[in-house]
Amino acid sequence: MTIEKAIHGSELTVSLIGRLDTSTAPMLEAEICEIGPETKKLILDFSGLEYVSSAGLRVILAAQKVMSAQGEMSIRNANGNILEIFAITGFSDILTIE
């Protein structure tokens, strides 16, 4: 998986390309741990994400918890398979999906 970041003021966009699974989730987790209090909005751009596993869901939930304490988080451009996973797991009820 490839992670690309773009910062615009207090907004951080993290674009994920590839698969978010057991072997790659620690990469995203490391990025989440680096988010400072100056970040008020986190956008996860899933336009290049093909798949997310339960390990990836755990990291997404951790990111949501971090950002709910200091701002907001949204997910953009998720494909149909990922949206279905969010619906089945109930994540679509707790995440902001654009």
Side-chain angles (χ1 to χ4, degrees), residues 1 16-20 45-52 79 82:
M1 179 177 73
L16 305 178
I17 302 162
R19 297 172 56 91
L20 180 56
D45 183 350
F46 284 3
S47 58
L49 192 65
E50 302 164 5
Y51 171 80
V52 62
N79 69 35
I82 293 172

Side-chain angles (χ1 to χ4, degrees), residues 27-55:
M27 294 169 55
L28 180 58
E29 188 170 31
E31 294 292 337
I32 299 305
C33 288
E34 292 181 8
I35 294 175
E38 69 281 355
T39 300
K40 301 301 179 197
K41 180 161 187 170
L42 172 63
I43 299 167
L44 296 177
D45 183 350
F46 284 3
S47 58
L49 192 65
E50 302 164 5
Y51 171 80
V52 62
S53 73
S54 60

